[in-house]
Amino acid sequence: MKKNIETIFLAFVITLSVLSFGSKKTYSQTYISFSVISQSIENGIDFLYYSQLPTGEFKTWACDKNDSCYYDSSPFVTTFVLYSIK
């Protein structure tokens, strides 16, 4: 499940990057089919919807060298998510 969420988030970030920086190139250099972009955006929105806590916060996971991870309540991840959406 963790790998699937990471893949969806990566697709979301890549789509945002293409949309943000695509305007600096010609149309032929940034051509991506509308269905691919739409599906990536839907996947990203779904990821955010299922990741957000009832309080509005997005979880921050901290891991040590032994791959022992724990939830760390922090406003930073939520801030970055909101800034990215903006």
Side-chain angles (χ1 to χ4, degrees):
M1 179 71 175
K2 186 176 178 182
K3 293 285 185 188
N4 191 23
I5 290 173
E6 290 171 352
T7 303
I8 292 170
F9 185 72
L10 180 61
F12 178 70
V13 170
I14 290 170
T15 300
L16 287 179
S17 299
V18 169
L19 294 176
S20 297
F21 299 110
S23 61
K24 297 178 184 174
K25 299 177 182 177
T26 65
Y27 178 77
S28 62
Q29 291 173 320
T30 58
Y31 176 75
I32 297 176
S33 71
F34 180 74
S35 63
V36 171
I37 292 173
S38 295
Q39 186 61 48
S40 296
I41 291 172
E42 282 184 39
N43 290 344
I45 291 170
D46 288 344
F47 169 78
L48 294 175
Y49 178 80
Y50 291 111
S51 298
Q52 192 172 21
L53 299 174
T55 60
E57 178 183 2
F58 289 92
K59 286 185 178 180
T60 301
W61 290 100
C63 300
D64 61 17
K65 292 180 182 179
N66 299 325
D67 289 333
S68 176
C69 298
Y70 59 93
Y71 167 68
D72 183 23
S73 183
S74 169
F76 296 111
V77 171
T78 302
T79 302
F80 294 139
V81 170
L82 296 176
Y83 182 78
S84 296
I85 292 172
K86 177 186 163 207

